[in-house]
């Protein structure tokens, strides 16, 4: 398996000092996988989180124009790591670039968190997180 960090809006390549790269590297070490910091490249673009609507986010993401390098033989699985997922558009763009350069790999995505709309804040915490598997919820309960 290869673990690859998603790039921030101002990055054109991954920085070993970024939070997402450090998270991806920690996951790779813990899983006994290869950490690949130089796989992705893209153009700088406006932050998707600052865009007011879906069309503006899609336009900003289109400007990124992601490219991935060939990972070589022997890798069957790629794990893309990001900090926050809102709609999944960035992860999809990254997955498409990786798949284009490495058509035989299976691609998985992992995000540390998922953006929730403000109206979710009025929902009791337990209900807002009802989709969390019980195995993981029990770890949270022990903390």
């Amino acid at each position: 398996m290869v673990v690859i960090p998603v790039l921030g809006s101002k990055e054109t390549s991954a920085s070993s000092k970024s939070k997402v790269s450090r998270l991806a590297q920690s996951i790779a070490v813990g899983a006994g996988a290869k950490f690949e910091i130089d796989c992705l490249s893209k153009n700088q673009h406006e932050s998707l989180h600052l865009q007011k609507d879906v069309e503006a986010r899609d336009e900003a993401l289109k400007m990124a124009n992601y490219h991935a390098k060939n990972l070589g033989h022997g890798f069957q699985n790629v794990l893309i790591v990001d900090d926050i997922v809102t709609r999944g558009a960035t992860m999809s763009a990254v997955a498409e670039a990786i798949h284009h350069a490495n058509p035989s790999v299976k691609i998985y995505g992992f995000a540390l968190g998922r953006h929730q709309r403000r109206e979710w804040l009025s929902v009791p915490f337990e209900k807002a997180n009802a989709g969390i598997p019980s195995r993981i919820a029990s770890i949270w309960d022990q903390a």
Side-chain angles (χ1 to χ4, degrees), residues 19-80:
K19 292 176 184 175
V20 174
S21 290
R22 292 189 336 239
L23 174 62
Q25 186 171 25
S26 294
I27 291 169
V29 168
K34 180 181 180 191
F35 173 63
E36 181 61 62
I37 196 165
D38 296 322
C39 179
L40 293 176
S41 63
K42 68 169 191 61
N43 299 322
Q44 290 183 346
H45 59 86
E46 294 296 321
S47 172
L48 302 184
H49 301 289
L50 300 178
Q51 304 307 309
K52 295 186 187 237
D53 57 37
V54 172
E55 291 79 20
R57 288 184 197 115
D58 288 344
E59 193 59 36
L61 189 57
K62 190 187 308 180
M63 298 301 290
N65 194 24
Y66 278 92
H67 292 280
K69 73 175 191 176
N70 184 288
L71 296 168
H73 300 301
F75 295 108
Q76 298 175 353
N77 300 297
V78 173
L79 178 64
I80 303 166

Side-chain angles (χ1 to χ4, degrees), residues 55-121:
E55 291 79 20
R57 288 184 197 115
D58 288 344
E59 193 59 36
L61 189 57
K62 190 187 308 180
M63 298 301 290
N65 194 24
Y66 278 92
H67 292 280
K69 73 175 191 176
N70 184 288
L71 296 168
H73 300 301
F75 295 108
Q76 298 175 353
N77 300 297
V78 173
L79 178 64
I80 303 166
V81 176
D82 203 352
D83 54 354
I84 303 292
V85 169
T86 302
R87 300 179 305 139
T90 301
M91 217 175 257
S92 293
V94 170
E96 286 178 21
I98 293 169
H99 180 71
H100 181 74
N102 303 275
S104 65
V105 300
K106 288 184 180 179
I107 302 171
Y108 302 89
F110 169 82
L112 191 57
R114 181 176 184 273
H115 171 76
Q116 293 288 342
R117 293 186 177 190
R118 179 159 270 210
E119 55 268 21
W120 277 90
L121 296 176

